[in-house]
Amino acid sequence: MTFKSSLIGHQPQRESIRRLFEKGKFPSTVLFAGPAGIGKKLVALEVARSLLCENGMFSGCGKCKACRLVDAGNFPDFYLIECADRERWNVEQIKELLYSLNLTSCFSRGRVIVFNDAEFLHIASANALLKSLEEPRANTWFILVSANPSKLPPTVLSRSQTWFFNPLAHEEVQHIIAELKDEIEGLPLSLDELVVLADGAPGSITAIKDHSLEWMDLKVTMSAIHGGDARRAVSFASEISKDKEDLRERLTLLRIYARHRMYETPQDSLWALCVTNLIAAERLIFERNLNAQYVLSNVLLNLVSSADLNSFTTLTNSAKLLERIVV
Ligand SMILES: [Zn+2]
């Protein structure tokens, strides 16, 4: 997927990067950390253009040979390594690339190596990278991009200057998604719904597409539960707990939906409680191995307005129990 729009958002980080760049003090190794799909890689590409542009312009002039070739992915001194593609970028290839940095660069300004999704680097590749980081060369910059930096070896982390990136603002996501006409064509979702689902990360649009039908069902079910259908709460919990592989993604969708409703009706505290409980549920299920169906039944029963729960005394009691275990 490509973003046709220019880079949107992340102003504070880009501003501090620009200041360092203008002083000629951009660090030789940086880590861009933050949730997936928010545009960290695009910022890395902006930095690469800045560092390599023949006219020395921040963000690149867009006209010189270096800028044009970086954009086309054909610049000999610019490497974009998609670490998740371990076949394309296996250990040998990464070692070879790092070794080639010892040779003279093709163009005079320097070399930029971006490791996208760096948490997927094979440990042997990470060790080879570490060697390169330990012996910095002039005008060679490494940019690691990761949504899960804790999975990188501490030795690599300690040699990188970290910038944290946040999810994009509602208006920024709206702007980006509106431009992705081809991507969203034919989806049964409104632009507003897509923006809610993107949850600050427009890069997740492909995953959103995969979930569009599920989202429609989920909306109906959650509204029914909130409207008083306690039986549905229990059966829905049983339904979604069956497949533990998909459960994490489903919990994310549920949380996004509950948060959306929370913002829509801030006076209704049940949605806010549901968001908190869903966050806790994920921890209880995946970290403490509690029974998913049991935990989710309780989360969803807590969403049923209490007046309608009279016939579900036992279940209400277990919902109270959840309040005690969700700390
Ligand atoms: Zn340029």
Side-chain angles (χ1 to χ4, degrees):
M1 174 185 144
T2 54
F3 286 106
K4 292 179 200 89
S5 59
S6 53
L7 181 49
I8 286 173
H10 309 305
Q11 287 308 330
Q13 294 87 342
R14 290 165 66 200
E15 188 50 34
S16 75
I17 290 169
R18 188 183 62 78
R19 280 199 298 269
L20 285 174
F21 169 77
E22 283 173 0
K23 286 183 200 153
K25 287 186 174 169
F26 191 78
S28 60
T29 309
V30 294
L31 166 67
F32 289 172
I38 59 171
K40 301 182 300 297
K41 181 169 123 181
L42 295 180
V43 179
L45 297 182
E46 178 177 69
V47 174
R49 276 199 308 271
S50 306
L51 294 167
L52 298 169
C53 171
E54 289 164 18
N55 294 313
M57 273 176 70
F58 180 70
S59 195
C61 69
K63 292 178 185 140
C64 72
K65 197 172 174 184
C67 280
R68 280 184 285 118
L69 289 176
V70 166
D71 279 342
N74 284 329
F75 193 68
D77 285 333
F78 169 66
Y79 304 91
L80 173 60
I81 299 168
E82 294 291 353
C83 304
D85 188 352
R86 282 189 176 181
E87 259 180 53
R88 166 79 184 81
W89 290 105
N90 60 37
V91 178
E92 282 316 306
Q93 267 154 337
I94 288 182
K95 278 186 179 168
E96 207 171 290
L97 183 153
L98 293 169
Y99 177 76
S100 75
L101 299 177
N102 295 318
L103 312 172
T104 319
S105 77
C106 298
F107 291 79
S108 56
R109 282 193 72 89
R111 272 180 290 213
V112 178
I113 305 97
V114 175
F115 288 87
N116 192 41
D117 295 325
E119 67 271 24
F120 289 101
L121 264 184
H122 189 281
I123 186 68
S125 303
N127 285 336
L129 171 64
L130 182 64
K131 266 193 163 178
S132 294
L133 302 185
E134 280 168 342
E135 299 156 11
R137 293 169 197 82
N139 300 329
T140 300
W141 295 277
F142 293 94
I143 305 175
L144 310 178
V145 178
S146 177
N148 268 313
S150 61
K151 290 190 174 164
L152 283 164
T155 42
V156 170
L157 289 177
S158 68
R159 279 175 177 78
S160 316
Q161 182 171 325
T162 304
W163 258 284
F164 292 99
F165 291 77
N166 302 314
L168 295 178
H170 191 87
E171 300 71 35
E172 292 166 344
V173 177
Q174 211 165 25
H175 190 95
I176 292 170
I177 291 188
E179 284 192 5
L180 296 172
K181 287 196 187 73
D182 297 346
E183 298 277 337
I184 61 176
E185 208 178 65
L187 282 180
L189 301 167
S190 67
L191 178 61
D192 279 348
E193 278 184 306
L194 281 167
V195 173
V196 170
L197 265 172
D199 202 22
S204 58
I205 198 93
T206 314
I208 292 168
K209 279 166 78 172
D210 293 347
H211 289 298
S212 59
L213 290 176
E214 206 180 316
W215 176 255
M216 306 298 276
D217 288 346
L218 179 145
K219 262 179 20 180
V220 175
T221 307
M222 292 293 272
S223 295
I225 293 171
H226 179 253
D229 192 344
R231 285 180 199 284
R232 188 74 191 103
V234 178
S235 63
F236 189 49
S238 150
E239 227 170 86
I240 56 178
S241 323
K242 275 184 195 136
D243 193 343
K244 208 169 173 183
E245 294 239 316
D246 286 344
L247 187 55
R248 210 185 275 270
E249 278 193 353
R250 281 169 167 235
L251 284 176
T252 305
L253 280 185
L254 286 174
R255 183 169 38 78
I256 292 171
Y257 181 72
R259 207 172 57 206
H260 171 52
R261 293 295 300 267
M262 179 181 84
Y263 288 129
E264 255 184 1
T265 49
Q267 69 282 9
D268 183 347
S269 60
L270 284 178
W271 289 112
L273 177 67
C274 186
V275 174
T276 316
N277 282 346
L278 282 165
I279 293 167
E282 188 164 344
R283 219 177 62 224
L284 291 170
I285 296 166
F286 293 102
E287 288 172 26
R288 287 165 61 182
N289 280 323
L290 258 74
N291 179 291
Q293 188 182 343
Y294 168 76
V295 173
L296 283 174
S297 295
N298 285 308
V299 171
L300 295 175
L301 280 169
N302 269 304
L303 182 62
V304 183
S305 55
S306 54
D308 300 307
L309 265 179
N310 292 338
S311 56
F312 283 86
T313 333
T314 323
L315 292 170
T316 318
N317 285 342
S318 73
K320 293 248 165 57
L321 177 69
L322 181 80
E323 284 171 23
R324 287 208 298 277
I325 58 175
V326 174
V327 282

